Amino acid sequence: MNLRFIDWIWNVRGSVPLEPGQSSDEAFNKLDPLFREYGTTHERFSDTLTFSKKDQPAQDKMSVFDAGVLKIEHGMSGAVLHYRMSSRALFFCFCMPLLFLFFAQTTIAIGEYRKPALEAAEKTKKVEKKEPIVRELHPIDKFLGAPAPEKPKKDGASKREDTKHSPTSAYVFAGLFAALYVIGRVLEAWLVKSLFRKTLKST
């Protein structure tokens, strides 16, 4: 299976044009401080820079990414920085909705399996339940015009719900992680491109 068709889930790709006349050395020198954060190791060979991160602090502007490759390519229109960076955090946020949807479907299946037993228990309870006693009004009370006692209200005929096997919570968490992934995927791609563009243009 070609991972290229699915690695967009946890990889962010993009490109940023270099300033006119800017060499590869000048570009990488400007980007160098970004790869000297705690927990980051990097290596440069010619026009390619590779990096990896471990236990990176939250203060790191690229902390969401764990590894990546930056490459400068020269074309007719000028030099362009191409990058591809992977993120375990994005992969985690993508997988969690699928996991919670699996939990929801499992919960529904368990509820359907238990439904006949719950209905049978409910019917047995109704059969065993005694009819309420309705007391007669005393003749003197009748003569004095006292209202007749009301009959006890019967329990509603609604079926008992199996609240222990409700998939609602799983659906809520699936929705939350799906939203986190979509927001993070778009936001982090925009942030890192803006960071590279700003850093390359700095004097």
Side-chain angles (χ1 to χ4, degrees):
M1 183 178 179
N2 192 349
L3 289 178
R4 181 62 184 253
F5 293 107
I6 62 171
D7 69 351
W8 57 267
I9 295 171
W10 64 89
N11 280 280
V12 170
R13 290 182 173 85
S15 60
V16 176
L18 270 60
E19 292 290 294
Q22 191 175 48
S23 66
S24 299
D25 288 335
E26 292 172 338
F28 280 126
N29 287 338
K30 288 187 175 182
L31 294 172
D32 186 68
L34 297 177
F35 303 100
R36 294 195 177 277
E37 298 286 346
Y38 174 82
T40 303
T41 58
H42 71 285
E43 183 179 2
R44 181 190 165 191
F45 179 75
S46 184
D47 290 341
T48 302
L49 183 147
T50 59
F51 73 92
S52 63
K53 293 178 179 289
K54 184 178 180 181
D55 300 327
Q56 56 268 38
Q59 293 80 8
D60 186 346
K61 294 179 180 179
M62 296 172 58
S63 61
V64 72
F65 300 105
D66 304 290
V69 178
L70 288 77
K71 187 175 182 180
I72 295 177
E73 296 182 355
H74 300 271
M76 297 296 294
S77 57
V80 179
L81 172 70
H82 296 273
Y83 55 87
R84 177 183 59 81
M85 297 179 290
S86 61
S87 170
R88 286 194 297 266
L90 288 177
F91 183 73
F92 175 80
C93 288
F94 180 86
C95 291
M96 288 308 291
L98 302 178
L99 180 62
F100 279 110
L101 287 176
F102 171 76
F103 287 156
Q105 294 304 311
T106 303
T107 301
I108 292 173
I110 293 174
E112 289 296 322
Y113 176 77
R114 285 176 50 87
K115 189 175 180 180
L118 289 173
E119 290 178 350
E122 189 70 21
K123 289 179 181 178
T124 303
K125 184 177 179 182
K126 287 181 179 179
V127 170
E128 294 176 350
K129 198 170 185 180
K130 295 181 179 179
E131 283 292 326
I133 300 173
V134 180
R135 297 185 180 277
E136 291 289 335
L137 195 64
H138 195 276
I140 297 176
D141 292 329
K142 286 183 180 181
F143 177 76
L144 294 175
E150 296 181 358
K151 294 182 179 180
K153 295 180 180 179
K154 294 183 178 180
D155 294 334
S158 58
K159 295 181 180 179
R160 184 187 301 173
E161 294 182 1
D162 187 9
T163 55
K164 291 183 180 179
H165 298 93
S166 172
T168 304
S169 299
Y171 285 135
V172 170
F173 280 108
L176 288 175
F177 277 104
L180 281 175
Y181 174 77
V182 172
I183 294 172
R185 184 67 176 76
V186 174
L187 181 62
E188 291 300 334
W190 179 81
L191 287 175
V192 75
K193 187 169 187 175
S194 177
L195 176 64
F196 286 158
R197 183 186 292 114
K198 188 183 297 184
T199 304
L200 290 171
K201 288 184 178 180
S202 62
T203 56

